[in-house]
Amino acid sequence: MRPVLKVSNLISLQDARSSAAVGFDLISFSLERGSSKKLSSSLIWNIVQWLSGPEVVLELNLMSLEELEEVKKLFEWSLITLPFEEYDERLLSEHPKLILRTDQFTDPAKISEIVEQAADAGADLKFEVSLPDAESASAYLGVAEYVFLHFASLDALISFVNAAPFAPYGLSLGEEAEEEPGFLHYERIDDLMDLLDEV
């Protein structure tokens, strides 16, 4: 089965609609304070009104959690993401669908432990793991059902897909999928989608 596909931190309606059209399952926008991709809640609302199909994800940090109160008045979202180092299990009572962003230095055994604790609390918790290359993914075979893999380059992602060592829960794309800052590389994304359809 094809992994869930997430594209992160979009800043334009054109990229959001194109991502929906080619088949991304999750489209995220940043409310994260300090991020160069941070958008206002009203701008995100303007974009999501034109989307049909994908679920909306909000990229946050603890400093920006309070902005969700304003967002609630404008539109609905499906999931939020937070940096793993800012995770507190008490968040699950208010945000039971959560993705924690981390890197290759996070122990897979710790991922499994935290996901299982969250499941016991009735929450659906996943990890988004940023990796430098396709070879780094092998460490996460044992927790594949809990992770989105995010590679440093599209070439690394394509190498992983071509090798097909295992199927993670999801694949996440970010700045490495841009042709220039803030604008997605449509041709390369189309090629990736074609490749995923063949797997």
Side-chain angles (χ1 to χ4, degrees), residues 31 39-48 70-71 74-75:
L31 285 171
L39 302 179
S40 67
S41 54
S42 59
L43 179 53
I44 298 174
W45 174 82
N46 281 325
I47 294 173
V48 302
E70 179 183 350
V71 175
L74 298 175
F75 62 88

Side-chain angles (χ1 to χ4, degrees), residues 40-100:
S40 67
S41 54
S42 59
L43 179 53
I44 298 174
W45 174 82
N46 281 325
I47 294 173
V48 302
Q49 300 312 299
W50 294 92
L51 296 182
S52 177
E55 296 183 76
V56 173
V57 180
L58 299 177
E59 310 266 343
L60 304 160
N61 52 14
L62 283 180
M63 291 188 297
S64 57
L65 268 177
E66 62 189 37
E67 295 189 37
L68 289 179
E69 290 305 313
E70 179 183 350
V71 175
K72 284 178 183 177
K73 302 171 187 175
L74 298 175
F75 62 88
E76 294 184 2
W77 67 90
S78 296
L79 302 101
I80 66 168
T81 82
L82 286 169
F84 177 38
E85 61 268 21
E86 297 185 357
Y87 173 64
D88 184 323
E89 64 183 18
R90 290 173 293 184
L91 290 167
L92 296 176
S93 61
E94 291 187 36
H95 310 289
K97 294 186 71 174
L98 181 63
I99 301 171
L100 299 178

Side-chain angles (χ1 to χ4, degrees), residues 101-113:
R101 308 188 305 268
T102 189
D103 57 29
Q104 76 269 26
F105 301 109
T106 301
D107 184 353
K110 188 67 175 176
I111 289 176
S112 182
E113 175 188 342

Side-chain angles (χ1 to χ4, degrees), residues 11 30 32-39 175:
I11 63 173
S30 178
E32 182 177 4
R33 292 187 187 173
S35 169
S36 62
K37 297 289 185 72
K38 184 183 187 306
L39 302 179
E175 291 183 357

Side-chain angles (χ1 to χ4, degrees), residues 2 4 10 18 21 26 39 42 44 55 57 59 61 73 75 79 109 114 120 148 170 183 191 197:
R2 191 192 79 171
V4 174
L10 299 186
S18 175
L26 304 175
L39 302 179
S42 59
I44 298 174
E55 296 183 76
V57 180
E59 310 266 343
N61 52 14
K73 302 171 187 175
F75 62 88
L79 302 101
I114 291 173
D120 289 343
F148 288 84
F183 299 92
D191 290 343
D197 286 341

